[in-house]
Amino acid sequence: MSAVSMAGALNRALADSLAADPSVLVFGEDVGPLGGVFRVTDGLAARFGEERVFDTPLAESGIVGTAIGMAMNGLRPVVEMQFDAFAYPAFEQITSHLAKLRNRTRGQVSLPVVIRVPYGGGIGGVEHHCDSSEAYYTHTPGLRVVTPGTPDDAYRLLRDSIASPDPVIFLEPKRRYWAKGELSADSADSADSVAFDRALVRRTGRDVTLIAYGPMVATALETADAAAEEGWDVEVVDLRSLSPFDDETVCASVRRTGRAVVVHEASGFGGYGAEVVARVTERCFHHLHAPVLRVTGFDIPYPPPKLEEHHLPSVDRILDAIARLQWDDEVVGGHGA
Amino acid sequence: MSAVSMAGALNRALADSLAADPSVLVFGEDVGPLGGVFRVTDGLAARFGEERVFDTPLAESGIVGTAIGMAMNGLRPVVEMQFDAFAYPAFEQITSHLAKLRNRTRGQVSLPVVIRVPYGGGIGGVEHHCDSSEAYYTHTPGLRVVTPGTPDDAYRLLRDSIASPDPVIFLEPKRRYWAKGELSADSADSADSVAFDRALVRRTGRDVTLIAYGPMVATALETADAAAEEGWDVEVVDLRSLSPFDDETVCASVRRTGRAVVVHEASGFGGYGAEVVARVTERCFHHLHAPVLRVTGFDIPYPPPKLEEHHLPSVDRILDAIARLQWDDEVVGGHGA
Amino acid sequence: MARTRAPERTLLPSDEPLSLLRKDGSPVDDSPLAMPDDDVLVELYRRMVVGRRFDTQATSLTKQGRLAVYPSSHGQEACEVGSVLALRPTDWLFPTYRDSVALVTRGVDPAETLTLLQGGWHLGYDPYEHRVGPQCTPLATNTLHAVGFAHAARLKGEDTAALVLLGDGATSEGDTHEALNFAGVWHAPVVFLVQNNGYAISVPMSKQNAAPSLAHKGIGYGVPSVLVDGNDVAAVYAVVREAVLSGGPTLIEALTYRIEAHTNADDATRYRTSDEVAAWLDRDPVDRLETYLTSRGLLDNARRAAIAAEAEEFAASVRAKMNVDVEPSPDDLFEHVYATMPRHLREQAAALREELA
Amino acid sequence: MARTRAPERTLLPSDEPLSLLRKDGSPVDDSPLAMPDDDVLVELYRRMVVGRRFDTQATSLTKQGRLAVYPSSHGQEACEVGSVLALRPTDWLFPTYRDSVALVTRGVDPAETLTLLQGGWHLGYDPYEHRVGPQCTPLATNTLHAVGFAHAARLKGEDTAALVLLGDGATSEGDTHEALNFAGVWHAPVVFLVQNNGYAISVPMSKQNAAPSLAHKGIGYGVPSVLVDGNDVAAVYAVVREAVLSGGPTLIEALTYRIEAHTNADDATRYRTSDEVAAWLDRDPVDRLETYLTSRGLLDNARRAAIAAEAEEFAASVRAKMNVDVEPSPDDLFEHVYATMPRHLREQAAALREELA
Ligand SMILES: Cc1ncc(C[n+]2csc(CCOP(=O)(O)OP(=O)(O)O)c2C)c(N)n1
Ligand SMILES: Cc1ncc(C[n+]2csc(CCOP(=O)(O)OP(=O)(O)O)c2C)c(N)n1
Ligand SMILES: [Mg+2]
Ligand SMILES: [Mg+2]
């Protein structure tokens, strides 16, 4: 099978889901004839017709709110928010309805809605086009929050998300839209739901666990290569499902290595990484040789294009964090007061 | 000075700020003649006139968006969101504008807006009336997020918030509105801005630090009393300012006690407590005898009145957490793999 | 610039509210509306009487602490009942917190209707059983659900209209705008019934909107609009029925009044006069129809008494049901957050069970 | 039910767009609008020519990589220039990303105007210097800022109107609705100028709105509405001027067209035909006024050449400024998040400085 970009893999997942299930719809701003500003929906309106793939008025709350109504009536809407920050007008519908209606109705109403959100920076985008908004969604019970790091995962996770009876916030790392990768053999014909809420060890290593997701998976793997040259054997865990969180896979890794660094683009304060640190520390405290560290964006609004490189986690910054994991202390032990 | 309820203290703070500064305005839904559904703005419209204290159309994005415009034009709006979940329609204006305009304009535009949000549960309120939404705001750089635990703090922090050049999300623990306390001598006449972003040790203790805020301050103090009977000497830190976070006060306490529990009503996953755990662990790792634990709401939508007691952190649940802080391990030391 | 312009005439509401019955119960001569059939009129009356009794019963239950809160629709029965009876069985209703009478009129069990307000769960009924969406608390948000639902029906080839209820205050929310716009563009079969009862809690219309009427919003979306006397149940029935059958969207503003405070927790004397309330009591929707039916010989004393007795019986059954303590199980907290309970919730549920053991 | 009804006549737009100049540059005989003074007309022409040259220059700069992105307003100069020149010095402008020509017309330095699009910072100018709010990217959000700003001016006793620019697509957002409603209720001096250029990126009006015109939204808020030929700068100037002086809110829909793609990154051939573009090129706002001015003897060859030369000079100065690399300092990242830098940002700034040392 030939290599495909992440945008291409997503396009294929949408097409395959539309073809497989007549209740699947795709709509949003510019997703019809234009094919989306990132071309993720390219060709779908022509192939499946404008009844199933269509442009809406420009109103994000309207898009999510009507998707909720459609899902109540048995359809499976897959909607797009054009950029991360433009999902905020839909925040009320997402938080108070999409996330809570199943619970509110004791399971009688199921909302299989997927909200695709191109997120994160690194593409020279101006303000409001580069937010990493995962923490807003992961703190909201009732939502699943998923993000792929590779084209293959993009395909599989999106198919799983569309098949899921739960609402899914599907975060697409826009800086990786054009990076190519192979699709695994089976992914073209079936959605493999085993993958859906499990983290994946992308690279094994003995010394330290790098915990990453979405756009940072590639950066973490690069770091692991660089770290190998410095003598550190780095394990890389790709979370894929941010909520629910796969404690099992992550903790098994950290217990093995005794050290961990969490990486994400979003601002650190109150960011998703805080949860990872807290969970891992609670569950693996006695296996830890050093506090779990975070490498994240600064606690600032996303910067303009010319400054974004300073904000984003880099290989060097992750290596620095690894270096700070108290390698010398190892023999000392104990956390005396 | 006689005891006053928190609602009364907030009312006094608004009145004193309105009296002291003609640029202060109070508006929102039902804050005029009705005096707010919790009566926090009682009597203000009559005293200061409907040009300064007024009802708006029913639209939260409109309230925050126009407050931004007013602040750009030199006024100091203090707006009310009637209940926590009803602030969500304003999420875009809060996140993309209120929080970011100072930064966007390199400091040329200052937005001294205060958004008052009655938050949290424990009052038998139906769905959407009991959310603890602090994590959404604390993860957003550019906002200050403040919450009082006592009437005295309510007065001081609200005056400070109104005086602040930064936008403030002012979270009012609605279950504590009617609890009475003394106002400190100086608070009636001056806003003491030293208090504004500092945590406060509400009770000193040697064995363990309870970190709480807003509605949980009273619960934490109650727990400390109960714990004393079981032989634990508990220190209680009231954060007051959730963002920025007072690392200094909190870490000094945890370094002293070597153990800590963070308490909040909001769901644990990705909640504010995760940040507290992560920060404290990063900064105090070698002083910790046990992982910092969290006692929080479950990872579920806020429950209906008849079930809320099960969801909310209770004295017993906090005592349980304290008991799990590995008191026996103390002599063992070390965190072997 | 060659856009087809829908004729303004059909999109703008009439100058005066449409009506069929005058305040004194006499029929309007030259109404453009068709008077409902006799049996429908009697049924409207019966349901209003039962609905009002249910409503006062619910208010009493708050005083006994059996309900956490109750927003009364006393005075608004013409809207609550007239609109719901105008629906076909296949249509859907999207109500708000104030529309408990609409729910029981639609056939939802009264105890299930009151579950939310009693505090046992967020919703007590199965939306699919009577085609009634969950009663909605965040204002105006149900308008979008209704539009999406109705459009989905269209896509599925089903003949289903959605009736969404909202208040005057809710029209100010952005969601109402987006819903009207989507409905206009999609020509979705949705009836937006704005019960303009003059207040959003304490805020009067003068602070809410400066338009000639709320129905004047429709033209901005290409949505036909109707202004109707909301205390005239025959008129409400007629306009909603026509809207439901139109196959497209309609915005209806019904002028009415809530006689009680916003909820039992509200103090309405802070923002309105008793004279104002009295004037509206004089326009009572139930009395008005009763006078008309009596004058037409459609309602005699025996029938009236039978209906009153039925209402009493209904109230008694509500009391009986609400006096049974149904305690929700703590397990429910975790059961339906996701379709399948994820591990972390299984752990939390287990911890709670252990705590309670 | 005794609400005062504003007369519908003044709240509804005219059937046909108001205009002063026909497509061919000849004057409209029976326009209800007053033709601007001669010197204003010449100034409008001069600013449109300069504005257009600036616009094409900016588009070129994207090709050279000096700008990250540029949304052109080629074809919309009558709106950009006509509305801004209609403002008084004390008035405020609340523009969007597409309104760079409006900004330079208002006197903002072109390099400062382009800072956002060049990628150096989110905004390059001081809003208070020329009374221009920050160019706004999240659609429709600036409408609320404009209403709040104008209402604050009223409260402070200042005679300041706010002109907010938005597109056809932005009218669908909830914020536009809330802003129009607040403006109506507060009678705030705000001019909402909707530049209806037919598309929101690729989405045509037919999928955006089903109303007879976007201006028909005004009546739903009690806001007087105007439909104007947005390629007729004299008419745009006249209606905005009148709206600014009215002391209350006005909704203006200006029918226009963007000749270029949405931005340099967009491929407009995916959603519109070259015939459509050609038809609109034929309605060019600059040519139209040029013909009229020439016919009136207000513009001779020498003046025309002088203006063209001025535009070239302006473009050259823009090129020169934009060719200087102004690198923002990493310290800026932390400086203005709060009024005073909190400790955690001081630490982060220090860490970055160390890293870069
Ligand atoms: C988004 C949102 N904001 C605020 C509230 C709080 N609230 C509940 S009812 C109400 C007034 C509603 O007025 P209206 O729409 O006229 O309906 P009515 O209660 O008169 O039937 C308010 C402000 C809410 N429920 N939802
Ligand atoms: C809230 C929001 N949603 C989506 C976008 C992405 N977006 C940028 S421009 C645009 C189209 C805007 O169309 P219109 O309002 O007609 O203005 P025009 O670009 O035609 O001037 C879209 C969808 C945005 N900027 N803000
Ligand atoms: Mg009302
Ligand atoms: Mg447009």
Side-chain angles (χ1 to χ4, degrees), chain A residues 92, chain B residues 29-30 58 60 82-83 86 89 129, chain C residues 76 96-98 137-139 166-171 173 195 197 199-201 258 262:
Chain A
E92 198 279 341
Chain B
E29 296 158 10
D30 302 293
L58 209 167
E60 293 77 12
Q82 201 161 83
F83 286 87
F86 306 145
H129 291 76
Chain C
Q76 302 182 203
T96 75
Y97 53 89
R98 191 170 304 291
T137 304
L139 294 162
L166 63 156
D168 44 293
T171 65
E173 290 281 3
Q195 296 189 50
N197 60 11
Y199 292 88
I201 308 186
R258 70 166 150 73
H262 175 69

Side-chain angles (χ1 to χ4, degrees), chain B residues 77-151:
Chain B
V78 183
V79 303
E80 176 177 302
M81 304 280 102
Q82 201 161 83
F83 286 87
D84 27 64
F86 306 145
Y88 302 155
F91 194 73
E92 199 279 342
Q93 286 287 352
I94 294 173
T95 306
S96 285
H97 300 286
L98 187 64
K100 296 188 173 72
L101 254 164
R102 171 185 294 280
N103 183 66
R104 179 176 312 149
T105 62
R106 279 202 174 95
Q108 280 152 339
V109 172
S110 198
L111 294 182
V113 174
V114 177
I115 304 186
R116 295 181 36 244
V117 187
Y119 83 120
I123 59 158
V126 298
E127 209 188 359
H128 309 294
H129 291 76
C130 301
D131 281 16
S132 289
S133 35
E134 64 270 24
Y136 300 134
Y137 304 118
T138 50
H139 181 52
T140 305
L143 298 176
R144 287 179 179 274
V145 184
V146 164
T147 182
T150 66

Side-chain angles (χ1 to χ4, degrees), chain A residues 85 88-89 91-92 95-96 100 103-104 127-128 131-132 135-136 138-141 242-243 245 266-272 274-275 277-279 281-282 285-294 299-301 326 329 333-337, chain B residues 85 88-89 91-92 95-96 100 103-104 127-128 131-132 135-136 138-141 242-243 245 266-272 274-275 277-279 281-282 285-294 299-301 326 329 333-337:
Chain A
Y88 302 154
F91 193 73
E92 198 279 341
T95 306
S96 285
K100 297 188 172 74
N103 182 67
R104 180 175 312 150
E127 209 188 359
H128 310 293
D131 281 16
S132 289
Y136 300 134
T138 49
H139 181 51
T140 305
L242 304 187
S243 175
F245 182 85
S267 295
F269 194 87
Y272 183 75
E275 178 61 37
V277 172
R279 286 188 102 67
T281 306
E282 278 161 16
F285 190 66
H286 290 288
H287 298 80
L288 287 175
H289 301 294
V292 180
L293 295 183
R294 294 180 280 178
D299 294 322
I300 60 173
Q326 309 182 2
D329 290 4
H335 356 45
Chain B
Y88 302 155
F91 194 73
E92 199 279 342
T95 306
S96 285
K100 296 188 173 72
N103 183 66
R104 179 176 312 149
E127 209 188 359
H128 309 294
D131 281 16
S132 289
Y136 300 134
T138 50
H139 181 52
T140 305
L242 304 187
S243 176
F245 181 85
S267 296
F269 194 86
Y272 183 76
E275 177 60 39
V277 172
R279 285 187 104 67
T281 307
E282 278 162 17
F285 190 66
H286 289 288
H287 298 81
L288 288 175
H289 300 296
V292 179
L293 294 183
R294 294 180 278 178
D299 294 323
I300 59 174
Q326 309 181 2
D329 290 6
H335 354 46

Side-chain angles (χ1 to χ4, degrees), chain A residues 40-211:
Chain A
V40 170
T41 57
D42 197 21
L44 300 179
R47 180 165 160 206
F48 296 98
E50 292 217 28
E51 293 237 313
R52 296 189 62 203
V53 180
F54 52 91
D55 292 325
T56 64
L58 209 167
E60 293 79 10
S61 187
I63 292 167
V64 175
T66 55
I68 289 170
M70 291 186 195
M72 286 180 72
N73 202 353
L75 300 183
R76 292 185 170 268
V78 184
V79 304
E80 176 177 302
M81 303 280 103
Q82 202 162 80
F83 286 87
D84 27 64
F86 306 146
Y88 302 154
F91 193 73
E92 198 279 341
Q93 286 287 351
I94 295 173
T95 306
S96 285
H97 300 286
L98 186 64
K100 297 188 172 74
L101 254 164
R102 170 184 294 281
N103 182 67
R104 180 175 312 150
T105 63
R106 278 201 174 97
Q108 280 152 338
V109 172
S110 197
L111 295 182
V113 173
V114 177
I115 304 186
R116 296 181 35 244
V117 187
Y119 83 119
I123 60 159
V126 297
E127 209 188 359
H128 310 293
H129 290 74
C130 301
D131 281 16
S132 289
S133 34
E134 63 271 25
Y136 300 134
Y137 305 117
T138 49
H139 181 51
T140 305
L143 299 176
R144 287 181 179 273
V145 184
V146 164
T147 181
T150 66
D152 188 41
D153 262 15
Y155 179 89
R156 295 155 61 97
L157 293 173
L158 184 51
R159 297 234 34 205
D160 287 351
S161 297
I162 295 171
S164 167
D166 297 316
V168 179
I169 308 293
F170 192 88
L171 299 169
E172 302 177 359
K174 63 175 93 78
R175 68 196 282 192
R176 307 295 176 202
Y177 268 146
W178 305 280
K180 296 204 167 184
E182 302 290 325
L183 295 199
S184 58
D186 60 343
S187 61
D189 36 37
S190 87
D192 170 4
S193 62
V194 173
F196 192 38
D197 47 20
R198 298 310 298 255
L200 196 74
V201 176
R202 290 238 171 246
R203 174 188 172 125
T204 55
R206 271 164 310 141
D207 297 336
V208 51
T209 303
L210 271 187
I211 304 168

Side-chain angles (χ1 to χ4, degrees), chain B residues 150-165:
Chain B
T150 66
D152 188 42
D153 262 15
Y155 179 89
R156 294 155 62 99
L157 292 174
L158 184 52
R159 297 232 37 203
D160 286 353
S161 296
I162 296 171
S164 167

